[in-house]
Amino acid sequence: DTGVSQDPRHKITKRGQNVTFRCDPISEHNRLYWYRQTLGQGPEFLTYFQNEAQLEKSRLLSDRFSAERPKGSFSTLEIQRTEQGDSAMYLCASSHNSGFSYEQYFGPGTRLTVT
Amino acid sequence: LAKTTQPISMDSYEGQEVNITCSHNNIATNDYITWYQQFPSQGPRFIIQGYKTKVTNEVASLFIPADRKSSTLSLPRVSLSDTAVYYCLVGYSGNTPLVFGKGTRLSVIA
């Protein structure tokens, strides 16, 4: 399977704990995006990378959230001191650096439940 | 990115053609129109993209009138497996973050 993969698929954690998610993009894609989706809503942008550089962060990304993409390959999203409001599906997507296509390839997501 | 408006939900019987219309009155000259499909517990999937007139692929057709202030996604002969949420997005570059609305929840009934 050469699509975007995410790990884990599900995570249940207690409030106050730290969690880390991993995303492996399609290998030739240099852009990598993180989105968050809550029930009944469309995905909301969190942050994105071009290669290893983090180019933009949403205001949704509080200081408890940090993302990295070392060496421009896989990426990790860490949430520190989780809160119940962090419960959501965290989606990763990747794309090639082409100017006129809006096609981003999404992974299956990591569903986070904070108890 | 241009704001879009689409119906919250639609129902259809199997075998029918489904048309989902999206309004984007403030679309800019350089903006493309793109539709994504999302099944439960999966990430969104690109369906189709267009700039003007008509675009067709193996999954759907996209109709865009001359003023480009709206667009219609057409799904021919839907099946139960087409039950999903469909998102209309408008923007210029594939290299910027996507802005999703709430989408249209399509339910296909046998």
Side-chain angles (χ1 to χ4, degrees):
Chain A
D1 187 349
T2 57
V4 177
S5 62
Q6 293 187 245
D7 184 71
R9 294 292 307 277
H10 304 273
K11 178 70 176 179
I12 300 174
T13 190
K14 293 184 177 180
R15 187 177 54 188
Q17 298 293 305
N18 299 343
V19 294
T20 300
F21 310 140
R22 175 179 171 126
C23 170
D24 287 90
I26 294 171
S27 59
E28 63 268 26
H29 286 180
N30 54 3
R31 293 247 171 171
L32 186 148
Y33 310 79
W34 285 98
Y35 296 84
R36 180 174 68 185
Q37 185 172 27
T38 54
L39 197 61
Q41 305 295 317
E44 297 173 294
F45 165 72
L46 293 178
T47 188
Y48 84 101
F49 294 83
Q50 177 162 311
N51 300 314
E52 66 275 8
Q54 189 172 17
L55 296 187
E56 187 176 340
K57 293 193 291 185
S58 163
R59 289 172 297 174
L60 294 174
L61 212 67
S62 75
D63 56 5
R64 295 185 297 105
F65 289 71
S66 63
E68 294 182 341
R69 191 183 183 197
K71 301 179 183 178
S73 55
F74 70 93
S75 176
T76 58
L77 178 68
E78 180 182 17
I79 309 174
Q80 296 182 327
R81 305 180 303 280
T82 53
E83 302 172 355
Q84 288 188 322
D86 296 331
S87 295
M89 175 77 86
Y90 289 84
L91 293 162
C92 175
S94 69
S95 71
H96 209 283
N97 192 20
S98 61
F100 293 98
S101 171
Y102 235 141
E103 188 166 1
Q104 293 183 10
Y105 295 81
F106 283 79
T110 294
R111 182 168 296 283
L112 173 66
T113 302
V114 181
T115 62
Chain B
L1 295 176
K3 179 178 172 63
T4 61
T5 303
Q6 52 184 124
I8 295 295
S9 64
M10 295 181 68
D11 295 331
S12 176
Y13 287 102
E14 272 192 301
Q16 290 188 327
E17 177 183 77
V18 171
N19 295 310
I20 306 174
T21 297
C22 178
S23 297
H24 28 80
N25 292 319
N26 297 322
I27 189 168
T29 303
N30 293 332
D31 285 342
Y32 279 70
I33 300 155
T34 310
W35 286 78
Y36 275 77
Q37 173 192 56
Q38 186 175 26
F39 297 114
S41 299
Q42 294 187 26
R45 182 177 74 106
F46 173 92
I47 302 177
I48 197 166
Q49 181 181 69
Y51 183 80
K52 62 181 179 180
T53 63
K54 177 183 175 182
V55 179
T56 297
N57 62 22
E58 65 278 5
V59 176
S61 294
L62 178 60
F63 298 92
I64 306 168
D67 66 6
R68 304 200 329 121
K69 292 185 182 300
S70 68
S71 58
T72 299
L73 175 73
S74 181
L75 304 172
R77 298 179 299 282
V78 295
S79 64
L80 295 175
S81 63
D82 292 315
T83 294
V85 179
Y86 293 82
Y87 297 98
C88 167
L89 296 89
V90 173
Y92 171 63
S93 170
N95 295 313
T96 54
L98 300 175
V99 179
F100 290 85
K102 293 189 177 182
T104 297
R105 186 171 300 276
L106 173 65
S107 298
V108 180
I109 308 163

